[in-house]
Every structure is written in C-alpha cells, then in structure tokens.
Amino acid sequence: MPMNALEPFKASAWDLPFTAADQRCAIEALEGGRVLYFEHLAFPVGDGERRMLSAASSDQKAKNISFDPGAGAVKGARTQGSGEARLLAMMSRYAGLTGTLLRGLLPHYTRALKQARTSFRPHEIEGRQPKSYRKDDRLLHADAFPSRPMRGARILRVFTNINPSGKPRVWHVGEPFDTFARRFLPDVRRAIPGVARLEAMFGITKGRRTEYDHVMLQLHDRAKRDARYQREAPRQEIAFPAGSTWVVFTDLVPHAAIKGQFALEQTFELPVAAQLRPELSPLRILERLAGRTLAV
Ligand SMILES: [Fe+2]
C-alpha cells in the first residue's frame, strides 16, 4: 500500500485550467492506484435541491438514486413531479461539472472517455444492512458489476460529499490490486462454458460477460465473503470532509465506504488502450497473473 493513498490537488472550481505538471501527476497517480483528492472542490447545492437531501427521496429499495444520461431517466427515486425534476437537475449538473473537471485534468483520456451513470447516495452507510454480503460496500472490494460486463474497460469514478451538516464520508483504501488479486486468484474457478452467452441472451447481463468480468466478479465476491481478510487486510482510513471531491479507478483500488450520508457520484468508462500505461490496468495485471488472455 502506498504511504498515502491520496494525491492532493488544490483546485476549488470545476472549470479551472490545470498545468501540464498537474495533468501528468494526475494520470500517473490514478493509473498507479491512488485517489485524486480535491479537498476544496464542493458541489454547489441549490436551495430547492437542499430539500432533496433526505433519505426519504429514495424508494428505499435501491441503494442509490441513479440517472442514466443516455436514457435521460432517474431510477430509484420516490419523489415524483417537481421532486424528481429537481433531482434530475442536480444530477445532470453534477454530470456536466465532473465531465468538465476530467477534460481539464486528464486530456489524454478525453477522446475515449465515456460518461456513464450519475448517482445520488442519500442513505447513511453506517448501520444499513444490505440483503446480501455482495451488496455490502462497507466491505473491502474492487468494483465489478454483475449485470454490466466491462469487457476489460475501466471504471473511473468521481465522488463528492454533499452532506449539509458537515459530516465526513469515511472510506477504507486497501492494498495494491496485484496483491489483492494474488490473494484470491488461486481460488477463482473458470467460467462454465456457455453460461455467459445464455445470460446475455436472456438479458441477465447487458452484453456478454468475458472471462475478465467473471474473474473480477469472483474477486469481488470472495474478498467480501472472507471475514478474516476483511478484519486483517492492510488499509488506510480516509475521512473525506463535506465539500470535498475525489477521483479514483474503483476497479483497481480496493475500497470500502464505512460511513457518511449524501454523496454524488459520476461513473466514466475508459478502454484500456486509452490509458497512458495499459499494463497497469486490472485486465493486464490479471492476464499476467493468470498467464492467458481474459478479454479480446
Ligand atoms: Fe465500490
């Protein structure tokens, strides 16, 4: 684990230009498994939006309220009419600002970076008991989506703590990905032939799962299920204050969200080939460890 998982930046506005040195530092830190940390980069919550900062905004079934910019629709919200419109406005504004930030900070990615879902996380993490350990993000894990195969592509996420009463969002950041993967890879079973094709055919997955997706999901589940690992794995605790923003490859950096309430998150997807150093991606690390190709 690096001495400090955080790479700090001073920016306090979303559209400020970054120097070439900042841009270089950002891409190297990110791909190397660190968390870019903007202590003073807050999301301006409007007066009308402040009313939406309530766990009651959620339909209580979903962990998050999400907005798919492709479909233009909000999922997981309980409010309708003007409440839903307010949530949509808040999330699409966040989508716009995070896109601006990453274009300025990571110009090397701009052409290949795809903006995916935006989410609003209204629940207090501490004390919330998910139905399955697989969904318990208070446990150390690297992100892998059961129904959305990435086929090797990267998951880059921007988070902002928008807690109105100043409460920090506490994370644990775990060991480097190759150490994490080495620990669980020997127990990962090969995918059953034909299953990925059937799951895609019946709409269980959005597109066909590659062996990479299969391995990433197994690492995710095995890490969360391993009580001893969860107790003993090395980690750094970080309290992100209200009004701060952080950017991280969540498929590369083992992390756990321990406590906190009210955050916005924007997901971006990036092909491995668009990285400055593709060999640092989970896909290439896993292929080296497994000794075979996992996604084409
Ligand atoms: Fe996660």
Side-chain angles (χ1 to χ4, degrees), residues 68-105:
D68 180 347
V74 175
K75 272 206 301 213
R78 190 168 69 179
T79 50
Q80 285 170 342
S82 66
E84 186 172 313
R86 247 184 239 126
L87 278 178
L88 182 75
M90 179 170 81
M91 286 194 276
S92 52
R93 208 151 42 80
Y94 188 67
L97 290 174
T98 54
T100 302
L101 175 73
L102 294 200
R103 278 190 298 277
L105 185 64

PDB file of all heavy atoms in Angstrom, residues 68-105:
ATOM      1  N   ASP A  68     -29.351   7.949 -15.799  1.00  0.00           N
ATOM      2  CA  ASP A  68     -28.652   7.457 -16.977  1.00  0.00           C
ATOM      3  C   ASP A  68     -28.707   8.560 -18.040  1.00  0.00           C
ATOM      4  O   ASP A  68     -29.776   8.838 -18.583  1.00  0.00           O
ATOM      5  CB  ASP A  68     -29.367   6.184 -17.448  1.00  0.00           C
ATOM      6  CG  ASP A  68     -28.712   5.585 -18.676  1.00  0.00           C
ATOM      7  OD1 ASP A  68     -27.880   6.286 -19.296  1.00  0.00           O
ATOM      8  OD2 ASP A  68     -29.023   4.436 -19.002  1.00  0.00           O
ATOM      9  N   PRO A  69     -27.557   9.199 -18.315  1.00  0.00           N
ATOM     10  CA  PRO A  69     -27.596  10.330 -19.248  1.00  0.00           C
ATOM     11  C   PRO A  69     -28.055   9.903 -20.649  1.00  0.00           C
ATOM     12  O   PRO A  69     -28.670  10.688 -21.368  1.00  0.00           O
ATOM     13  CB  PRO A  69     -26.147  10.848 -19.280  1.00  0.00           C
ATOM     14  CG  PRO A  69     -25.316   9.772 -18.693  1.00  0.00           C
ATOM     15  CD  PRO A  69     -26.207   8.920 -17.840  1.00  0.00           C
ATOM     16  N   GLY A  70     -27.789   8.631 -21.009  1.00  0.00           N
ATOM     17  CA  GLY A  70     -28.240   8.120 -22.304  1.00  0.00           C
ATOM     18  C   GLY A  70     -29.758   8.096 -22.391  1.00  0.00           C
ATOM     19  O   GLY A  70     -30.362   8.592 -23.338  1.00  0.00           O
ATOM     20  N   ALA A  71     -30.398   7.538 -21.348  1.00  0.00           N
ATOM     21  CA  ALA A  71     -31.854   7.402 -21.354  1.00  0.00           C
ATOM     22  C   ALA A  71     -32.549   8.657 -20.828  1.00  0.00           C
ATOM     23  O   ALA A  71     -33.748   8.849 -21.036  1.00  0.00           O
ATOM     24  CB  ALA A  71     -32.252   6.188 -20.517  1.00  0.00           C
ATOM     25  N   GLY A  72     -31.824   9.521 -20.125  1.00  0.00           N
ATOM     26  CA  GLY A  72     -32.412  10.730 -19.549  1.00  0.00           C
ATOM     27  C   GLY A  72     -33.390  10.429 -18.419  1.00  0.00           C
ATOM     28  O   GLY A  72     -34.264  11.239 -18.113  1.00  0.00           O
ATOM     29  N   ALA A  73     -33.269   9.258 -17.789  1.00  0.00           N
ATOM     30  CA  ALA A  73     -34.251   8.863 -16.767  1.00  0.00           C
ATOM     31  C   ALA A  73     -33.599   8.653 -15.409  1.00  0.00           C
ATOM     32  O   ALA A  73     -32.458   8.220 -15.316  1.00  0.00           O
ATOM     33  CB  ALA A  73     -34.930   7.574 -17.207  1.00  0.00           C
ATOM     34  N   VAL A  74     -34.389   8.970 -14.348  1.00  0.00           N
ATOM     35  CA  VAL A  74     -33.944   8.765 -12.966  1.00  0.00           C
ATOM     36  C   VAL A  74     -34.508   7.433 -12.470  1.00  0.00           C
ATOM     37  O   VAL A  74     -35.685   7.128 -12.693  1.00  0.00           O
ATOM     38  CB  VAL A  74     -34.453   9.911 -12.062  1.00  0.00           C
ATOM     39  CG1 VAL A  74     -34.100   9.643 -10.607  1.00  0.00           C
ATOM     40  CG2 VAL A  74     -33.866  11.238 -12.503  1.00  0.00           C
ATOM     41  N   LYS A  75     -33.670   6.647 -11.794  1.00  0.00           N
ATOM     42  CA  LYS A  75     -34.139   5.375 -11.223  1.00  0.00           C
ATOM     43  C   LYS A  75     -33.911   5.372  -9.715  1.00  0.00           C
ATOM     44  O   LYS A  75     -32.911   5.892  -9.249  1.00  0.00           O
ATOM     45  CB  LYS A  75     -33.360   4.206 -11.833  1.00  0.00           C
ATOM     46  CG  LYS A  75     -33.990   3.697 -13.100  1.00  0.00           C
ATOM     47  CD  LYS A  75     -33.670   2.235 -13.376  1.00  0.00           C
ATOM     48  CE  LYS A  75     -32.213   1.938 -13.505  1.00  0.00           C
ATOM     49  NZ  LYS A  75     -31.852   0.887 -14.433  1.00  0.00           N
ATOM     50  N   GLY A  76     -34.852   4.785  -8.976  1.00  0.00           N
ATOM     51  CA  GLY A  76     -34.654   4.607  -7.546  1.00  0.00           C
ATOM     52  C   GLY A  76     -35.194   5.738  -6.694  1.00  0.00           C
ATOM     53  O   GLY A  76     -35.070   5.712  -5.478  1.00  0.00           O
ATOM     54  N   ALA A  77     -35.817   6.768  -7.305  1.00  0.00           N
ATOM     55  CA  ALA A  77     -36.330   7.905  -6.534  1.00  0.00           C
ATOM     56  C   ALA A  77     -37.776   7.654  -6.139  1.00  0.00           C
ATOM     57  O   ALA A  77     -38.535   7.024  -6.872  1.00  0.00           O
ATOM     58  CB  ALA A  77     -36.225   9.178  -7.355  1.00  0.00           C
ATOM     59  N   ARG A  78     -38.173   8.147  -4.972  1.00  0.00           N
ATOM     60  CA  ARG A  78     -39.557   8.002  -4.561  1.00  0.00           C
ATOM     61  C   ARG A  78     -40.375   9.223  -4.991  1.00  0.00           C
ATOM     62  O   ARG A  78     -41.561   9.137  -5.251  1.00  0.00           O
ATOM     63  CB  ARG A  78     -39.644   7.821  -3.045  1.00  0.00           C
ATOM     64  CG  ARG A  78     -41.053   7.428  -2.622  1.00  0.00           C
ATOM     65  CD  ARG A  78     -41.104   6.964  -1.199  1.00  0.00           C
ATOM     66  NE  ARG A  78     -40.865   8.067  -0.266  1.00  0.00           N
ATOM     67  CZ  ARG A  78     -40.878   7.918   1.037  1.00  0.00           C
ATOM     68  NH1 ARG A  78     -41.095   6.736   1.552  1.00  0.00           N
ATOM     69  NH2 ARG A  78     -40.650   8.926   1.833  1.00  0.00           N
ATOM     70  N   THR A  79     -39.699  10.366  -4.992  1.00  0.00           N
ATOM     71  CA  THR A  79     -40.418  11.595  -5.335  1.00  0.00           C
ATOM     72  C   THR A  79     -40.815  11.582  -6.805  1.00  0.00           C
ATOM     73  O   THR A  79     -40.152  10.998  -7.639  1.00  0.00           O
ATOM     74  CB  THR A  79     -39.538  12.819  -5.101  1.00  0.00           C
ATOM     75  OG1 THR A  79     -38.298  12.575  -5.729  1.00  0.00           O
ATOM     76  CG2 THR A  79     -39.341  13.084  -3.634  1.00  0.00           C
ATOM     77  N   GLN A  80     -41.901  12.264  -7.084  1.00  0.00           N
ATOM     78  CA  GLN A  80     -42.338  12.407  -8.467  1.00  0.00           C
ATOM     79  C   GLN A  80     -42.537  13.882  -8.757  1.00  0.00           C
ATOM     80  O   GLN A  80     -42.406  14.720  -7.866  1.00  0.00           O
ATOM     81  CB  GLN A  80     -43.649  11.638  -8.674  1.00  0.00           C
ATOM     82  CG  GLN A  80     -43.394  10.141  -8.727  1.00  0.00           C
ATOM     83  CD  GLN A  80     -44.676   9.351  -8.688  1.00  0.00           C
ATOM     84  OE1 GLN A  80     -45.719   9.860  -8.305  1.00  0.00           O
ATOM     85  NE2 GLN A  80     -44.600   8.101  -9.085  1.00  0.00           N
ATOM     86  N   GLY A  81     -42.854  14.202  -9.991  1.00  0.00           N
ATOM     87  CA  GLY A  81     -43.150  15.581 -10.364  1.00  0.00           C
ATOM     88  C   GLY A  81     -41.969  16.495 -10.128  1.00  0.00           C
ATOM     89  O   GLY A  81     -40.857  16.205 -10.564  1.00  0.00           O
ATOM     90  N   SER A  82     -42.202  17.581  -9.349  1.00  0.00           N
ATOM     91  CA  SER A  82     -41.147  18.592  -9.195  1.00  0.00           C
ATOM     92  C   SER A  82     -39.961  18.042  -8.405  1.00  0.00           C
ATOM     93  O   SER A  82     -38.817  18.429  -8.642  1.00  0.00           O
ATOM     94  CB  SER A  82     -41.706  19.837  -8.515  1.00  0.00           C
ATOM     95  OG  SER A  82     -42.062  19.514  -7.196  1.00  0.00           O
ATOM     96  N   GLY A  83     -40.210  17.113  -7.471  1.00  0.00           N
ATOM     97  CA  GLY A  83     -39.107  16.499  -6.709  1.00  0.00           C
ATOM     98  C   GLY A  83     -38.179  15.751  -7.635  1.00  0.00           C
ATOM     99  O   GLY A  83     -36.960  15.895  -7.570  1.00  0.00           O
ATOM    100  N   GLU A  84     -38.774  14.972  -8.531  1.00  0.00           N
ATOM    101  CA  GLU A  84     -37.958  14.206  -9.459  1.00  0.00           C
ATOM    102  C   GLU A  84     -37.208  15.139 -10.414  1.00  0.00           C
ATOM    103  O   GLU A  84     -36.043  14.910 -10.726  1.00  0.00           O
ATOM    104  CB  GLU A  84     -38.817  13.213 -10.243  1.00  0.00           C
ATOM    105  CG  GLU A  84     -37.951  12.310 -11.094  1.00  0.00           C
ATOM    106  CD  GLU A  84     -38.716  11.165 -11.745  1.00  0.00           C
ATOM    107  OE1 GLU A  84     -39.502  10.504 -11.052  1.00  0.00           O
ATOM    108  OE2 GLU A  84     -38.504  10.947 -12.950  1.00  0.00           O
ATOM    109  N   ALA A  85     -37.876  16.201 -10.847  1.00  0.00           N
ATOM    110  CA  ALA A  85     -37.229  17.162 -11.749  1.00  0.00           C
ATOM    111  C   ALA A  85     -36.035  17.815 -11.065  1.00  0.00           C
ATOM    112  O   ALA A  85     -34.996  18.050 -11.675  1.00  0.00           O
ATOM    113  CB  ALA A  85     -38.239  18.221 -12.187  1.00  0.00           C
ATOM    114  N   ARG A  86     -36.202  18.106  -9.762  1.00  0.00           N
ATOM    115  CA  ARG A  86     -35.099  18.726  -9.007  1.00  0.00           C
ATOM    116  C   ARG A  86     -33.899  17.783  -8.894  1.00  0.00           C
ATOM    117  O   ARG A  86     -32.759  18.180  -9.050  1.00  0.00           O
ATOM    118  CB  ARG A  86     -35.582  19.096  -7.607  1.00  0.00           C
ATOM    119  CG  ARG A  86     -35.616  20.602  -7.426  1.00  0.00           C
ATOM    120  CD  ARG A  86     -36.002  20.966  -6.014  1.00  0.00           C
ATOM    121  NE  ARG A  86     -37.193  21.774  -6.079  1.00  0.00           N
ATOM    122  CZ  ARG A  86     -38.318  21.520  -5.434  1.00  0.00           C
ATOM    123  NH1 ARG A  86     -38.396  20.484  -4.637  1.00  0.00           N
ATOM    124  NH2 ARG A  86     -39.334  22.314  -5.564  1.00  0.00           N
ATOM    125  N   LEU A  87     -34.216  16.512  -8.594  1.00  0.00           N
ATOM    126  CA  LEU A  87     -33.141  15.511  -8.513  1.00  0.00           C
ATOM    127  C   LEU A  87     -32.421  15.368  -9.848  1.00  0.00           C
ATOM    128  O   LEU A  87     -31.191  15.315  -9.911  1.00  0.00           O
ATOM    129  CB  LEU A  87     -33.723  14.136  -8.145  1.00  0.00           C
ATOM    130  CG  LEU A  87     -33.994  13.859  -6.688  1.00  0.00           C
ATOM    131  CD1 LEU A  87     -34.610  12.468  -6.537  1.00  0.00           C
ATOM    132  CD2 LEU A  87     -32.699  13.919  -5.876  1.00  0.00           C
ATOM    133  N   LEU A  88     -33.213  15.350 -10.909  1.00  0.00           N
ATOM    134  CA  LEU A  88     -32.648  15.212 -12.257  1.00  0.00           C
ATOM    135  C   LEU A  88     -31.745  16.400 -12.575  1.00  0.00           C
ATOM    136  O   LEU A  88     -30.640  16.230 -13.097  1.00  0.00           O
ATOM    137  CB  LEU A  88     -33.782  15.111 -13.279  1.00  0.00           C
ATOM    138  CG  LEU A  88     -33.359  14.914 -14.728  1.00  0.00           C
ATOM    139  CD1 LEU A  88     -32.891  13.485 -14.933  1.00  0.00           C
ATOM    140  CD2 LEU A  88     -34.505  15.211 -15.682  1.00  0.00           C
ATOM    141  N   ALA A  89     -32.205  17.591 -12.206  1.00  0.00           N
ATOM    142  CA  ALA A  89     -31.412  18.799 -12.476  1.00  0.00           C
ATOM    143  C   ALA A  89     -30.103  18.750 -11.697  1.00  0.00           C
ATOM    144  O   ALA A  89     -29.039  19.089 -12.215  1.00  0.00           O
ATOM    145  CB  ALA A  89     -32.218  20.042 -12.101  1.00  0.00           C
ATOM    146  N   MET A  90     -30.190  18.321 -10.431  1.00  0.00           N
ATOM    147  CA  MET A  90     -28.983  18.265  -9.596  1.00  0.00           C
ATOM    148  C   MET A  90     -27.987  17.259 -10.175  1.00  0.00           C
ATOM    149  O   MET A  90     -26.801  17.561 -10.315  1.00  0.00           O
ATOM    150  CB  MET A  90     -29.366  17.881  -8.166  1.00  0.00           C
ATOM    151  CG  MET A  90     -28.175  17.767  -7.228  1.00  0.00           C
ATOM    152  SD  MET A  90     -28.655  17.598  -5.492  1.00  0.00           S
ATOM    153  CE  MET A  90     -29.043  15.865  -5.391  1.00  0.00           C
ATOM    154  N   MET A  91     -28.469  16.101 -10.542  1.00  0.00           N
ATOM    155  CA  MET A  91     -27.561  15.063 -11.041  1.00  0.00           C
ATOM    156  C   MET A  91     -27.015  15.423 -12.415  1.00  0.00           C
ATOM    157  O   MET A  91     -25.851  15.157 -12.705  1.00  0.00           O
ATOM    158  CB  MET A  91     -28.262  13.702 -11.051  1.00  0.00           C
ATOM    159  CG  MET A  91     -28.409  13.147  -9.648  1.00  0.00           C
ATOM    160  SD  MET A  91     -28.845  11.404  -9.615  1.00  0.00           S
ATOM    161  CE  MET A  91     -30.585  11.529  -9.798  1.00  0.00           C
ATOM    162  N   SER A  92     -27.828  16.042 -13.272  1.00  0.00           N
ATOM    163  CA  SER A  92     -27.265  16.359 -14.595  1.00  0.00           C
ATOM    164  C   SER A  92     -26.271  17.505 -14.496  1.00  0.00           C
ATOM    165  O   SER A  92     -25.306  17.566 -15.254  1.00  0.00           O
ATOM    166  CB  SER A  92     -28.350  16.605 -15.649  1.00  0.00           C
ATOM    167  OG  SER A  92     -29.245  17.531 -15.190  1.00  0.00           O
ATOM    168  N   ARG A  93     -26.470  18.396 -13.526  1.00  0.00           N
ATOM    169  CA  ARG A  93     -25.473  19.445 -13.300  1.00  0.00           C
ATOM    170  C   ARG A  93     -24.149  18.828 -12.815  1.00  0.00           C
ATOM    171  O   ARG A  93     -23.077  19.221 -13.227  1.00  0.00           O
ATOM    172  CB  ARG A  93     -26.010  20.444 -12.268  1.00  0.00           C
ATOM    173  CG  ARG A  93     -25.474  21.851 -12.399  1.00  0.00           C
ATOM    174  CD  ARG A  93     -26.467  22.886 -11.895  1.00  0.00           C
ATOM    175  NE  ARG A  93     -27.119  22.502 -10.658  1.00  0.00           N
ATOM    176  CZ  ARG A  93     -26.591  22.622  -9.449  1.00  0.00           C
ATOM    177  NH1 ARG A  93     -25.387  23.123  -9.300  1.00  0.00           N
ATOM    178  NH2 ARG A  93     -27.262  22.256  -8.376  1.00  0.00           N
ATOM    179  N   TYR A  94     -24.273  17.850 -11.943  1.00  0.00           N
ATOM    180  CA  TYR A  94     -23.063  17.165 -11.458  1.00  0.00           C
ATOM    181  C   TYR A  94     -22.368  16.438 -12.614  1.00  0.00           C
ATOM    182  O   TYR A  94     -21.139  16.479 -12.731  1.00  0.00           O
ATOM    183  CB  TYR A  94     -23.438  16.172 -10.351  1.00  0.00           C
ATOM    184  CG  TYR A  94     -22.226  15.563  -9.674  1.00  0.00           C
ATOM    185  CD1 TYR A  94     -21.369  16.344  -8.903  1.00  0.00           C
ATOM    186  CD2 TYR A  94     -21.930  14.209  -9.809  1.00  0.00           C
ATOM    187  CE1 TYR A  94     -20.247  15.796  -8.291  1.00  0.00           C
ATOM    188  CE2 TYR A  94     -20.821  13.654  -9.196  1.00  0.00           C
ATOM    189  CZ  TYR A  94     -19.977  14.453  -8.441  1.00  0.00           C
ATOM    190  OH  TYR A  94     -18.872  13.906  -7.836  1.00  0.00           O
ATOM    191  N   ALA A  95     -23.165  15.803 -13.480  1.00  0.00           N
ATOM    192  CA  ALA A  95     -22.597  15.112 -14.653  1.00  0.00           C
ATOM    193  C   ALA A  95     -21.798  16.103 -15.497  1.00  0.00           C
ATOM    194  O   ALA A  95     -20.680  15.821 -15.934  1.00  0.00           O
ATOM    195  CB  ALA A  95     -23.712  14.469 -15.473  1.00  0.00           C
ATOM    196  N   GLY A  96     -22.366  17.283 -15.709  1.00  0.00           N
ATOM    197  CA  GLY A  96     -21.684  18.293 -16.522  1.00  0.00           C
ATOM    198  C   GLY A  96     -20.385  18.760 -15.876  1.00  0.00           C
ATOM    199  O   GLY A  96     -19.341  18.843 -16.532  1.00  0.00           O
ATOM    200  N   LEU A  97     -20.436  19.043 -14.581  1.00  0.00           N
ATOM    201  CA  LEU A  97     -19.244  19.560 -13.887  1.00  0.00           C
ATOM    202  C   LEU A  97     -18.121  18.525 -13.823  1.00  0.00           C
ATOM    203  O   LEU A  97     -16.948  18.856 -14.026  1.00  0.00           O
ATOM    204  CB  LEU A  97     -19.606  20.009 -12.460  1.00  0.00           C
ATOM    205  CG  LEU A  97     -20.479  21.265 -12.360  1.00  0.00           C
ATOM    206  CD1 LEU A  97     -20.879  21.516 -10.906  1.00  0.00           C
ATOM    207  CD2 LEU A  97     -19.761  22.486 -12.927  1.00  0.00           C
ATOM    208  N   THR A  98     -18.484  17.271 -13.577  1.00  0.00           N
ATOM    209  CA  THR A  98     -17.433  16.244 -13.493  1.00  0.00           C
ATOM    210  C   THR A  98     -16.812  16.003 -14.869  1.00  0.00           C
ATOM    211  O   THR A  98     -15.608  15.762 -14.970  1.00  0.00           O
ATOM    212  CB  THR A  98     -17.976  14.915 -12.916  1.00  0.00           C
ATOM    213  OG1 THR A  98     -19.110  14.517 -13.683  1.00  0.00           O
ATOM    214  CG2 THR A  98     -18.378  15.061 -11.470  1.00  0.00           C
ATOM    215  N   GLY A  99     -17.627  16.109 -15.935  1.00  0.00           N
ATOM    216  CA  GLY A  99     -17.092  15.986 -17.297  1.00  0.00           C
ATOM    217  C   GLY A  99     -16.091  17.099 -17.573  1.00  0.00           C
ATOM    218  O   GLY A  99     -15.000  16.861 -18.107  1.00  0.00           O
ATOM    219  N   THR A 100     -16.443  18.316 -17.168  1.00  0.00           N
ATOM    220  CA  THR A 100     -15.543  19.463 -17.341  1.00  0.00           C
ATOM    221  C   THR A 100     -14.244  19.241 -16.579  1.00  0.00           C
ATOM    222  O   THR A 100     -13.146  19.470 -17.095  1.00  0.00           O
ATOM    223  CB  THR A 100     -16.225  20.751 -16.813  1.00  0.00           C
ATOM    224  OG1 THR A 100     -17.452  20.912 -17.528  1.00  0.00           O
ATOM    225  CG2 THR A 100     -15.362  21.975 -16.991  1.00  0.00           C
ATOM    226  N   LEU A 101     -14.363  18.776 -15.325  1.00  0.00           N
ATOM    227  CA  LEU A 101     -13.174  18.544 -14.495  1.00  0.00           C
ATOM    228  C   LEU A 101     -12.226  17.552 -15.170  1.00  0.00           C
ATOM    229  O   LEU A 101     -11.026  17.808 -15.282  1.00  0.00           O
ATOM    230  CB  LEU A 101     -13.596  18.012 -13.117  1.00  0.00           C
ATOM    231  CG  LEU A 101     -12.440  17.619 -12.193  1.00  0.00           C
ATOM    232  CD1 LEU A 101     -11.728  18.862 -11.652  1.00  0.00           C
ATOM    233  CD2 LEU A 101     -12.911  16.738 -11.041  1.00  0.00           C
ATOM    234  N   LEU A 102     -12.787  16.427 -15.629  1.00  0.00           N
ATOM    235  CA  LEU A 102     -11.908  15.384 -16.182  1.00  0.00           C
ATOM    236  C   LEU A 102     -11.310  15.780 -17.530  1.00  0.00           C
ATOM    237  O   LEU A 102     -10.179  15.412 -17.839  1.00  0.00           O
ATOM    238  CB  LEU A 102     -12.640  14.041 -16.284  1.00  0.00           C
ATOM    239  CG  LEU A 102     -13.045  13.393 -14.955  1.00  0.00           C
ATOM    240  CD1 LEU A 102     -13.285  11.904 -15.143  1.00  0.00           C
ATOM    241  CD2 LEU A 102     -12.026  13.600 -13.841  1.00  0.00           C
ATOM    242  N   ARG A 103     -12.052  16.564 -18.318  1.00  0.00           N
ATOM    243  CA  ARG A 103     -11.468  17.039 -19.585  1.00  0.00           C
ATOM    244  C   ARG A 103     -10.273  17.951 -19.317  1.00  0.00           C
ATOM    245  O   ARG A 103      -9.273  17.916 -20.029  1.00  0.00           O
ATOM    246  CB  ARG A 103     -12.519  17.767 -20.434  1.00  0.00           C
ATOM    247  CG  ARG A 103     -13.398  16.806 -21.237  1.00  0.00           C
ATOM    248  CD  ARG A 103     -14.264  17.544 -22.242  1.00  0.00           C
ATOM    249  NE  ARG A 103     -15.196  18.479 -21.615  1.00  0.00           N
ATOM    250  CZ  ARG A 103     -16.383  18.134 -21.105  1.00  0.00           C
ATOM    251  NH1 ARG A 103     -16.785  16.880 -21.169  1.00  0.00           N
ATOM    252  NH2 ARG A 103     -17.172  19.038 -20.551  1.00  0.00           N
ATOM    253  N   GLY A 104     -10.370  18.764 -18.268  1.00  0.00           N
ATOM    254  CA  GLY A 104      -9.273  19.662 -17.933  1.00  0.00           C
ATOM    255  C   GLY A 104      -8.095  18.942 -17.287  1.00  0.00           C
ATOM    256  O   GLY A 104      -6.939  19.272 -17.515  1.00  0.00           O
ATOM    257  N   LEU A 105      -8.419  17.923 -16.479  1.00  0.00           N
ATOM    258  CA  LEU A 105      -7.395  17.256 -15.684  1.00  0.00           C
ATOM    259  C   LEU A 105      -6.720  16.116 -16.443  1.00  0.00           C
ATOM    260  O   LEU A 105      -5.534  15.856 -16.255  1.00  0.00           O
ATOM    261  CB  LEU A 105      -8.050  16.701 -14.408  1.00  0.00           C
ATOM    262  CG  LEU A 105      -7.138  16.061 -13.375  1.00  0.00           C
ATOM    263  CD1 LEU A 105      -6.174  17.081 -12.791  1.00  0.00           C
ATOM    264  CD2 LEU A 105      -7.984  15.420 -12.267  1.00  0.00           C
TER     265      LEU A 105
END
